[in-house]
Amino acid sequence: MAAVIAAGFVLVTGPFFIPELHKLKFGQSIREEGPKSHQAKSGTPTMGGIMIILGITLGTIAAAPLSTEILLALFIMLGHFVLGFLDDYIKVVKKRNLGLKAKQKMLGQIIIAVVTMVIGTRMLGIDTSVWLPLANTSVNIGIGYYFLVLFVMVGASNAVNLTDGLDGLASGTMAIAASAYAAVCLLLGHNDLALFCVAIVGACLAFLRFNAHPAKVFMGDTGSLALGGAFAAVGILTHTEVLLAIIGLIFVCEALSVIIQVISFKTTGKRVFRMSPIHHHFELGGWSEWKVVFVFWTVGLLASVAGLSLL
């Protein structure tokens, strides 16, 4: 039910919602320093993430009991949804290319993280230990755990945001990762959260109907930041923060490629990759957009299998 309602909402609203985005001229601006082949995508409607997040919310509420765990997961996702929506609105409607300032976005994420830690520790019994998959042991890191939660939230939301650079890449990769985490939730006894994950899978797969190459709509920061927040939520609430990085290997690589590129260029004046995030590196190396997406999906699937094997 969770998957069907989430997917159904996206599939039904898409044919009506996308033309409205066209009428409102909510078109994506393509950065000039990006691959030249992407300039043809300029003007493609963005903020399609609204359909995804509403679909996930409806599917979750319809199928899952409104437990504290589910409400907190929805709060984390919808909190990032608001940040992403404001970012897109400022860029697309107000014509300010940078959107929200980094300090404003960080403040919002800190507030979400603080609420998560307060509810998680006081109402859900989450302690300050970290489970290490390879060692199969937990280490109590004390107050450091609170910084870890903030790092996971900021890292996951921005990593998924960076992955959203090719048609179908972020939505397909997220569907794979969320499928793996549905299994993680079931294995660890978080049945409510499993329904939340399944709703994510349904909405993301349905969104591919409009987002696969050539994309008719982009999810924008509205969708990518919220999906990253949702991904962080299931990792934190199942207390599998390290496993999150393994299953979300593609997201980690996308973020690391940007960090490495920036550090290298600022310190040596040289670039490690042809262009970052890393999916552009392969594009400029001659791979077609579809090939990059397919290979990344495959790596994401293998990473998910590896993560489940460790669990």
Side-chain angles (χ1 to χ4, degrees):
M1 184 186 292
V4 169
I5 291 176
F9 179 84
V10 175
L11 291 173
V12 170
T13 59
F16 302 96
F17 186 64
I18 295 172
E20 288 302 314
L21 291 176
H22 268 293
K23 291 178 184 178
L24 294 171
K25 297 183 179 180
F26 282 8
Q28 177 74 44
S29 296
I30 305 299
R31 57 193 182 104
E32 292 182 4
E33 61 271 24
K36 292 182 179 179
S37 60
H38 286 214
Q39 294 303 316
K41 300 182 181 184
S42 183
T44 300
T46 187
M47 298 175 75
I50 294 173
M51 296 187 296
I52 300 175
I53 304 308
L54 289 180
I56 294 171
T57 303
L58 290 173
T60 302
I61 291 174
L66 296 182
S67 60
T68 303
E69 197 171 53
I70 281 293
L71 291 174
L72 185 54
L74 288 173
F75 166 76
I76 296 169
M77 180 183 73
L78 293 174
H80 284 85
F81 168 76
V82 171
L83 290 177
F85 178 84
L86 290 174
D87 200 40
D88 278 337
Y89 184 83
I90 292 170
K91 284 188 287 189
V92 176
V93 180
K94 298 296 183 181
K95 306 300 180 184
R96 278 168 43 193
N97 290 334
L98 296 178
L100 281 176
K101 295 178 181 178
K103 291 181 179 179
Q104 295 172 323
K105 192 179 293 185
M106 179 62 75
L107 176 61
Q109 290 175 313
I110 289 174
I111 293 172
I112 296 169
V114 169
V115 172
T116 300
M117 287 182 283
V118 170
I119 296 177
T121 54
R122 295 188 179 182
M123 300 180 69
L124 296 176
I126 296 176
D127 59 27
T128 55
S129 63
V130 177
W131 176 62
L132 304 177
L134 292 175
N136 194 25
T137 187
S138 293
V139 178
N140 194 317
I141 60 174
I143 195 172
Y145 181 74
Y146 301 111
F147 292 99
L148 176 64
V149 169
L150 177 60
F151 176 77
V152 169
M153 279 202 184
V154 173
S157 58
N158 286 311
V160 175
N161 181 237
L162 290 170
T163 305
D164 184 33
L166 298 179
D167 297 352
L169 179 57
S171 46
T173 308
M174 179 54 70
I176 292 168
S179 296
Y181 250 97
V184 170
C185 292
L186 287 173
L187 289 169
L188 296 179
H190 295 267
N191 295 347
D192 296 350
L193 275 183
L195 295 172
F196 176 65
C197 292
V198 170
I200 294 173
V201 176
C204 287
L205 289 179
F207 188 67
L208 282 173
R209 166 69 179 79
F210 312 105
N211 185 237
H213 186 72
K216 298 179 179 67
V217 66
F218 301 136
M219 69 171 67
D221 290 0
T222 304
S224 59
L225 280 177
L227 288 174
F231 193 48
V234 294
I236 293 167
L237 295 176
T238 56
H239 227 352
T240 55
E241 297 84 2
V242 177
L243 191 66
L244 190 80
I246 297 171
I247 290 177
L249 178 64
I250 289 295
F251 306 131
V252 173
C253 290
E254 293 278 14
L256 282 178
S257 69
V258 173
I259 294 170
I260 292 169
Q261 188 85 322
V262 170
I263 292 175
S264 176
F265 189 73
K266 286 190 174 182
T267 55
T268 68
K270 296 181 180 179
R271 292 179 172 86
V272 176
F273 306 102
R274 299 181 185 95
M275 184 178 291
S276 65
I278 197 168
H279 53 258
H280 290 320
H281 171 80
F282 292 104
E283 257 197 304
L284 296 181
W287 287 19
S288 67
E289 185 169 346
W290 172 243
K291 181 179 179 180
V292 176
V293 171
F294 182 76
V295 170
F296 276 46
W297 283 355
T298 303
V299 173
L301 179 59
L302 293 174
S304 293
V305 172
L308 288 173
S309 299
L310 288 173
L311 183 63

